[in-house]
Amino acid sequence: TVVIQGLGVGMISTVAPTVILIATILACNALASSYGVSIAAVGMLATLGITLATDAYGPVADNAGGLAEMAGLGPEVRAKTDSLDAL
């Protein structure tokens, strides 16, 4: 029953974002028909590239820090790679 309860709570937590998305779609449709909906969709997808690039950058910076540590470089190099990894 705990698993079922957890699934129920998880499904309820998606209600607010879904209602907001539906309201946005209806508002765009009322203002500019299907063109408004398509422009709103492109606007939401515009952030996708930056999100993916940021997510892909973390492991690269982490690997650079590990390589700097294994190469025996100074602590200032490791500090720089750690600050890049914190992004």
Side-chain angles (χ1 to χ4, degrees), residues 17-82:
T18 303
V19 169
I20 291 171
L21 189 60
I22 290 170
T24 304
I25 290 171
L26 292 176
C28 289
N29 191 31
L31 291 172
S33 187
S34 61
Y35 180 73
V37 175
S38 63
I39 292 298
V42 169
M44 287 186 279
L45 288 174
T47 62
L48 181 65
I50 294 189
T51 304
L52 287 175
T54 304
D55 287 344
Y57 183 73
V60 173
D62 191 36
N63 288 345
L67 290 172
E69 188 175 342
M70 287 189 291
L73 299 176
E76 66 278 353
V77 176
R78 184 63 185 176
K80 287 180 185 177
T81 59
D82 285 345

